[in-house]
Amino acid sequence: MPFAPCLSVADTAASIAFYKKLGFDADSSTARPGDDIHMLLHQGEFCAMLYSNADLKRWLPVLADTPIGFAGMFYLGVDDFEAVREHIGRHAEIVKDTEDDHTGQRMFYFRDPDGYVIGINDKAAFEASDLGQKYGEEPV
């Protein structure tokens, strides 16, 4: 099972609106009454949670003194890399544009309103690479 990030955000409505402009969907059906937590989906697949910073600090008090954001990034693999790059580029700050790395991966990075950096990977490039052959999903 892959890691599923839970992003602490200042304003969930603003974050949801931002991600919807980028082609994501949000589902709030798993939240208990009074919880400000939302599933974030891309092309119907779960990819993260968005959680109000205030609610998250009540849920996990160990995070009470932790600021929003972190040093690192999250990755999302997409099927139509060029279309996603074009669409996100119209609505978000691209902090590092498309490049191929030494393993054959294609990626770019954007920043969301709370400072999180999201890397977008080309699923097809990954699957075709040596790395994808080694760690890709086995056919069922």
Side-chain angles (χ1 to χ4, degrees):
M1 170 195 267
F3 285 100
C6 182
L7 305 179
S8 173
V9 300
D11 180 341
T12 55
S15 292
I16 289 169
F18 172 80
Y19 280 102
K20 283 187 172 185
K21 280 194 291 186
L22 303 185
F24 290 78
D25 290 311
D27 181 338
S28 306
S29 64
T30 61
R32 295 180 301 191
D35 283 347
D36 195 3
I37 188 168
H38 313 272
M39 291 189 306
L40 193 62
L41 303 112
H42 187 265
Q43 297 180 342
E45 292 184 40
F46 170 80
C47 58
M49 301 294 289
L50 297 174
Y51 208 167
S52 143
N53 183 259
D55 282 3
L56 178 62
K57 289 178 178 190
R58 281 190 295 275
W59 176 253
L60 286 175
V62 70
L63 298 175
D65 296 325
T66 305
I68 293 174
F70 73 111
M73 75 287 272
F74 297 107
Y75 285 98
L76 174 67
V78 299
D79 292 318
D80 191 344
F81 183 83
E82 295 300 331
V84 170
R85 166 58 187 90
E86 181 181 328
H87 183 76
I88 288 177
R90 289 193 304 264
H91 302 285
E93 174 193 6
I94 303 298
V95 296
K96 187 170 187 174
D97 214 340
T98 303
E99 66 176 37
D100 297 350
D101 75 6
H102 66 284
T103 66
Q105 304 306 300
R106 295 178 67 213
M107 61 198 80
F108 72 92
Y109 300 84
F110 71 91
R111 185 187 329 260
D112 86 349
D114 290 284
Y116 293 105
V117 174
I118 313 295
I120 302 293
N121 294 62
D122 183 343
K123 272 188 187 179
F126 172 74
E127 290 167 356
S129 72
D130 290 341
L131 196 60
Q133 298 297 310
K134 183 175 181 179
Y135 294 111
E137 292 184 24
E138 294 291 321
V140 180

